[in-house]
Amino acid sequence: HRSQSAAKLSRKASVASFQSDADAQENDPNYKGPKPDIKIGNMVWEDHYDIMGLGRERHLADAEAIRVAYRTRSLMLHPDKLITPDTTEEEKERLDDRFKRLNTANELLNDTKKRRVYDSVDAPPTKLPMKFETEDFFEKAIPAFQPLVRWFDGKGDAAKFIESDPAAPYEKVRKMYEFWAKFKSWREFPHEDEEDLESAEDRWGRRQIEQENKKKREKKKKEDTDKIKRFVERAEEKDPRVIKKRLEDKEAREAKKKAKG
């Protein structure tokens, strides 16, 4: 793990390297710089997006953006291009370390499984409102669906099933809740007590550790799934469009019963 001073030196060198690139994140006055390391148990993640120059795009960066970012940064940061006869040993070590970190970040972001885990811990915890009523439904409940969209484990765009129009036809509202009632998230939940796979002595041992780690993650996963389910149920209960439809159906049944005499 790098020291804080080494990280600052590496950051300073990176800024110098990209002074000529107007589009680089280092030249964006609104960019706040790398996030602090993420630590869960014995697992530590640096800000891999920042290292790749994708600190602003983060999880929105697609495969092409990652490819271009790595190509650009690897050309700029390759030690062979930066080391001169006057470069000190300490500086050489720092340049080598920075390039290794770039390769590590690129490898992780190109590995679907590893990136899913990283994106999961890089994102804020799931926060869903539960204290809302019919009166403030559209201000509090509807916007809360949007952060869940990125986690949809399925085909298509989950955002299409967020119906924000108060005057939307009930059929659209019905389909919205039908979708969210079955919503499945791919978000991962690394557990602080997970064992390191590298500690396994053989393939069988590695498989055992993977199974144990999976069980620990599933508990947190269930908690998140239950939280989403409770929110969706609450939203449907307080949705004025649903309430209106149920009232209309009730009145229609009573009118029919009354007509029969």
Side-chain angles (χ1 to χ4, degrees), residues 15-29:
V15 172
S17 301
F18 299 104
Q19 284 179 345
S20 61
D21 184 358
D23 294 327
Q25 63 187 19
E26 289 78 7
N27 297 321
D28 183 347

Side-chain angles (χ1 to χ4, degrees), residues 109-120:
L109 296 182
N110 278 289
D111 184 310
T112 302
K113 189 175 181 179
K114 290 181 179 179
R115 187 181 180 187
R116 278 195 166 193
V117 173
Y118 178 63
D119 281 343
S120 295

Side-chain angles (χ1 to χ4, degrees), residues 150-162:
R150 62 177 288 194
W151 307 116
F152 177 45
D153 189 11
K155 295 180 180 179
D157 183 5
K160 293 180 180 178
F161 294 92
I162 301 176

Side-chain angles (χ1 to χ4, degrees), residues 100-146:
K100 287 177 182 177
R101 289 167 51 229
L102 176 67
N103 284 322
T104 297
N106 182 57
E107 179 185 343
L108 181 144
L109 296 182
N110 278 289
D111 184 310
T112 302
K113 189 175 181 179
K114 290 181 179 179
R115 187 181 180 187
R116 278 195 166 193
V117 173
Y118 178 63
D119 281 343
S120 295
V121 299
D122 184 53
T126 304
K127 291 185 178 180
L128 297 169
M130 291 301 291
K131 295 182 179 180
F132 57 85
E133 299 297 334
T134 302
E135 294 75 18
D136 56 4
F137 172 83
F138 290 102
E139 291 74 34
K140 292 184 177 180
I142 287 296
F145 281 96
Q146 192 59 46

Side-chain angles (χ1 to χ4, degrees), residues 2 4 6 9 17 27 68-69 73 86 97 116 124 137 139 162 179 184 187 194 202 206 222 228 234 249:
R2 297 173 305 130
Q4 196 171 23
L9 283 171
S17 301
N27 297 321
V68 172
R73 299 238 154 184
D86 297 325
D97 176 64
R116 278 195 166 193
F137 172 83
E139 291 74 34
I162 301 176
F179 171 83
K184 288 186 178 181
R187 189 171 190 176
E194 286 187 28
D202 51 35
R206 185 183 181 87
K222 186 177 185 305
I228 295 172
R234 173 76 176 180
D249 289 348

Side-chain angles (χ1 to χ4, degrees), residues 123-226:
T126 304
K127 291 185 178 180
L128 297 169
M130 291 301 291
K131 295 182 179 180
F132 57 85
E133 299 297 334
T134 302
E135 294 75 18
D136 56 4
F137 172 83
F138 290 102
E139 291 74 34
K140 292 184 177 180
I142 287 296
F145 281 96
Q146 192 59 46
L148 298 174
V149 169
R150 62 177 288 194
W151 307 116
F152 177 45
D153 189 11
K155 295 180 180 179
D157 183 5
K160 293 180 180 178
F161 294 92
I162 301 176
E163 190 51 66
S164 60
D165 184 359
Y170 179 72
E171 183 59 20
K172 286 188 175 182
V173 177
R174 184 190 66 77
K175 287 182 178 180
M176 168 180 164
Y177 289 110
E178 187 178 75
F179 171 83
W180 288 102
K182 299 175 182 178
F183 177 79
K184 288 186 178 181
S185 166
W186 58 257
R187 189 171 190 176
E188 297 278 348
F189 293 88
H191 196 280
E192 59 183 12
D193 293 330
E194 286 187 28
E195 289 188 55
D196 186 358
L197 290 176
E198 299 304 318
S199 65
E201 296 182 358
D202 51 35
R203 186 180 299 177
W204 183 86
R206 185 183 181 87
R207 191 176 302 161
Q208 287 295 109
I209 292 176
E210 285 179 337
Q211 290 176 350
E212 288 300 317
N213 288 346
K214 184 179 179 181
K215 288 180 183 178
K216 292 172 183 176
R217 291 189 181 195
E218 284 176 347
K219 183 179 179 181
K220 280 194 172 184
K221 175 83 170 180
K222 186 177 185 305
E223 291 174 0
D224 190 69
T225 299
D226 290 345

